[in-house]
Amino acid sequence: MGARYAFRFDQSACSGCKTCQAACKDRHGLPVGVLWRRVYEVAGGGWERVGEAWHSDAFAYHLSLACNHCAEPICAEVCPTGAIVRGDDGLVRIDRETCVGCRYCAWACPYGAPQFDERSGTMTKCDLCAADLAAGRPPACVSSCPMRALELVTIEDGADAAGAATFPLPDPALTSPGLVVVPHRDAPRAGPRTARVANREEVAP
Amino acid sequence: MTATHLGPSAHALPGERLVRVGCPAHNCGGRCLLVAHVKDGRIVRLEGDDRPDDTPADPQLRACTRGRAYLRRQYHPDRLLYPLRRVGPRGAGRWARISWDEALDLVAGEMRRVRETYGPGALFVPYGTGSYSQLNGSQVARRLMNLTGGCLGIWNSYSWAAINVATPTVYGTLQTGNQRQDWLNSRYILLWGWNPAEMRDGTNSDWFVKLARERGARTVCIDPRMSPSAVSLADEWIPIRPGTDAAMMTAMAHVMITEGLVDAGFVRTHCVGFDASQMPAGCDGEESYRDYVLGTRDGVPKTPEWAERITTVPRATIARIAREYATTKPAMLYQGYGMQRRAFGEQVVRAGCVLAALTGNVGIPGGWASGLANQPDGGCGWYVFPAGENPVKASIPVFLWAEAVLRGKGMGAEHGVQGAERLASDIKLIYAVATNCLVNQHANINRSVEILRDESKVEFLVVQDQFLTSTARYADVVLPACTQFETWGVEDGWKYGEEVLLMPKLVEPPGEAKSDYRIGAEIAERLGAGAAFTEGRDERGWVEWCLDEYRRTRFPDLPSLDAFEASNAGLHVKPVTRPAVAFADFRRDPEGHPLDTPSGRIEIFSKALRDLGRPDAIPAVPKYIEEWESPFGPEAARFPLQAIGHHTLHRVHSTHDNNDWLAEAFPQRAFLNPLDAAPRGIADGDAVKVWNDRGATVLPCRLTQRVMPGVVDIPEGAWWAPDAAGVDHGGNINVLTSERWTPLAFGTAQHTAMVQVERA
Ligand code: SF4
Ligand code: SF4
Ligand code: SF4
């Protein structure tokens, strides 16, 4: 396989501003409810009163996520019609002609990438701004980020993907995602028992 | 892993025209570049700055989520298309469409009638920043007024009232900030209530903090709420009880004084009033700053223990931050603005400036004097379009417009009136352009609308806007204005910008909407001042005039408008390679370059303030003063929680509230700590009622550890949506806020409000 595209996401610098999300919606004309790129807020910790003082170990960080164009795309595996295909360019695409909108891919994808679009009655998702890529231009989300926290990079298969396991991301061994995460300083403290996605209503409409 | 180097991003699809354009300026805190794709008379896409290079000297002006989602506002089905006239009582929401001629005849006629009946001081153009592109916005209404006899003037702002007045009491100027490229020289940055990730405070301010961190600066954010800046820009977050920042600052001074961390040499040569040895002339024997901090006179040493009880910040943390800030050189204490929109908001401004002075961080690279921090090289021009001179000399603080409606006649200095002993009239006519400050954004909405409903007070209210805002609902006549994309405009960078952004007209306005400028010109015509108003120029002609002005003052290489437009660059930049440092001359030679203060020095003790004779509200040295509504007062028994309202990226104040992409991204919620929710039986997502004696609002809540216990956070700007009983269902915090103003600046103190929360 060799080199393939990946998003490099500097979580330590992400403010959760969702400019990437808006840029993606603008680029692809997406309606409310369809989020090819989503920004998760992870939060945890708590508060303790000691005398008059509040001691807090509260923490939060963000995760901006699209489709990771995985090397082993489980969405494609479960699709009963074969509508999802990983191309030679490493991009995982949904063929809207073949897709019947059964949503199996949405249930299977551990990243929440496939999104049902009522207008077409099919699944849709991030196409890595393929038309732009082909013309040598960066994806809309990447060039939009005011914090310069998103990059498009190329990685070798089997490259170290440690950050890509940052809570609440799944074990990258599952799908081999094209995702490199520079973890926020508080990410090591987060886990299923110590943190949660605090803005679920914003990312899973 | 390899970075991919892809080229510039913007490209036109077939049939599209690409135009680089300044983001539709509103008072967002940024000025960014967009690339508009225009096809068949419609904008179909908005990309961001696509210049290939992105350096600290000349960074890309990447638009925020609101800029990128602007088309959802631009093409919103609720855009105002025609002039409307109220039918039925004011505020009842019944309208009839009228022609422009009918509308403008009526408006001009009322302006003439009120002027003749009550005098020019009865006319009023409120503070308004809803449109902000020199040619579109409230400044054209001011020009109209000024050319037709004048109107009651305004001074100060909603955003920066206390900091605007308090900063010069210390430094004699508002130009206290180093250029941002200099932040990279800092070793330590206190983001004190400062949240550039959301309120921007100049496009790229958040990014410059990121760069400073990459260069090794340690950053600490002090805020009642773990803001996005606390998450993404700070190494540490310190929650602090709202309204008590001055107490923590004072205790930090205590640590510095008692541990010998004060830069004594700098204080001796550059300051007055720190201790008994350097009191201003005529103030010998009065309480110096040192006296206050050590409690020499009042018997209360302002120790970290003292401040812990007030602020809830652990005493050890206060002492540690004091030592870090005093010993890590150079260091910045950057003051946010929310904490000065509070009772006694002047004190926190002065206290922060004094800490900067005590640590000797004034006038050096990597340091920061605190205060308002306009740029030493002149900085942003704000208003360049010539509003002209107001023949009426009397002006009121912007925040006191309602008082001038209720009891304007006879109002004087005790209400902040400037330019006249007393006002000659109540406000009788309001021409509200690009403002939602009469209802949505002003304090105590229920009071404001009661005042507006009374047609014997404000006899005529005309509102000019793009949507039927909460303020427009109380209008007698509504005039439909266009967006920046539908007319010509120009701006320079917000606060920091070293750039001029062109806003060419891209598309026609919808329906019969017109530019604010055009409307002003047509009213002026009816009042016999048409030629004086336009001077023969259209909008584009005035943009040319503004470019001349920018060229004359700060941008000598600015191209002509024709060349600017032909280049399709959208912006003209003056790269900053050698960032200016405020007070560098004064630092070097305080005798040769004295400050513009009475003493010529940094006034830790202000004789001018002392001479006001109100030591309990306006002390001569900065003090912590308990707020008039607080967790410490009797009001806390019924209303135990503090309500604060942050700036959300859902909106720019009230602009964009109806933008569906932004509502999806940042739904309006009351943010509440689980420790406050549990005893009230409130679960995450429940609808809650937040209320006090002034009003009530019902909205869904989100439980979060990111807001400290005792605080409910309702992002400001949501559109007021009252039910029949007057309970708001839009999540508007201003049904809870108070119209009481700060003592010195007559500024808003809207963040000082105690409330109760219950399940709705
Ligand atoms: S635009 Fe950048 S900083 Fe903002 S949410 Fe997306 S990745 Fe984070
Ligand atoms: S690469 Fe393109 S399609 Fe994918 S998330 Fe970014 S903007 Fe959206
Ligand atoms: S910060 Fe202001 S100017 Fe910049 S994109 Fe956002 S809304 Fe537009």
Side-chain angles (χ1 to χ4, degrees), chain A residues 18-19 25-27 33 41 45 47 54 132 136-138 145 147-148 152-154 184-185 196 201-202, chain B residues 2 4 7-9 11 45-46 54 60 62 65 204 210 231 234 312 664-665 669 673 702-703 705-706:
Chain A
K18 301 196 185 188
T19 306
K25 291 182 83 104
D26 175 73
R27 173 69 184 83
E41 176 198 337
W47 295 78
W54 279 114
D132 292 317
R137 290 181 298 267
C145 174
M147 290 302 291
R148 285 76 163 172
L152 188 72
V153 297
T154 52
H184 187 270
R185 58 155 194 274
R196 65 189 185 102
E201 60 178 328
E202 295 169 15
Chain B
T2 343
T4 54
S9 58
H11 71 113
R45 269 195 70 195
L46 290 173
D54 185 26
Q60 290 183 343
R62 296 192 176 191
T65 191
N204 282 320
K210 177 187 166 190
V231 171
T312 81
E664 172 184 46
R669 297 288 177 265
N673 191 287
R702 185 176 298 167
L703 304 190
Q705 307 288 354
R706 292 178 60 176

Side-chain angles (χ1 to χ4, degrees), chain B residues 511-544:
Chain B
E512 295 179 359
K514 299 185 187 199
S515 78
D516 289 325
Y517 175 78
R518 178 59 39 207
I519 299 169
E522 291 180 11
I523 297 172
E525 184 68 43
R526 284 167 169 77
L527 295 172
F533 185 91
T534 65
E535 296 179 12
R537 292 185 186 88
D538 59 6
E539 290 90 334
R540 191 177 184 281
W542 278 109
V543 167
E544 200 157 15

Side-chain angles (χ1 to χ4, degrees), chain A:
Chain A
M1 267 281 163
R4 60 189 171 105
Y5 286 124
F7 289 113
R8 180 183 184 274
F9 172 60
D10 183 354
Q11 182 173 65
S12 67
C14 172
S15 66
C17 72
K18 301 196 185 188
T19 306
C20 50
Q21 172 176 315
C24 177
K25 291 182 83 104
D26 175 73
R27 173 69 184 83
H28 300 283
L30 305 178
V32 167
V34 178
L35 297 170
W36 287 7
R37 185 170 278 285
R38 309 155 299 288
V39 182
Y40 297 76
E41 176 198 337
V42 177
W47 295 78
E48 193 194 349
R49 186 103 205 201
V50 181
E52 296 289 323
W54 279 114
H55 292 253
S56 174
D57 65 351
F59 64 88
Y61 58 84
H62 300 102
L63 176 66
S64 174
L65 212 53
C67 165
N68 301 310
H69 299 272
C70 305
E72 296 160 54
I74 193 167
C75 55
E77 260 172 58
V78 302
C79 175
T81 65
I84 307 185
V85 175
R86 181 166 193 262
D88 292 338
D89 53 5
L91 271 57
V92 178
R93 294 182 173 84
I94 301 179
D95 177 16
R96 293 199 205 177
E97 298 301 313
T98 318
C99 172
V100 294
C102 69
R103 306 186 196 220
Y104 282 15
C105 56
W107 295 326
C109 170
Y111 299 98
Q115 305 265 314
F116 185 72
D117 189 335
E118 280 175 7
R119 297 172 306 177
S120 58
T122 65
M123 302 309 292
T124 61
K125 68 168 189 62
C126 159
D127 68 353
L128 213 67
C129 290
D132 292 317
L133 273 192
R137 290 181 298 267
C141 53
V142 165
S143 56
S144 79
C145 174
M147 290 302 291
R148 285 76 163 172
L150 270 180
E151 268 182 278
L152 188 72
V153 297
T154 52
I155 56 170
E156 296 292 328
D157 273 346
D160 175 31
T166 299
F167 179 82
L169 292 171
D171 183 347
L174 215 57
T175 64
S176 188
L179 179 66
V180 179
V181 177
V182 181
H184 187 270
R185 58 155 194 274
D186 289 328
R189 295 168 57 194
R193 275 184 305 280
T194 56
R196 65 189 185 102
V197 173
N199 67 341
R200 199 155 280 289
E201 60 178 328
E202 295 169 15
V203 289

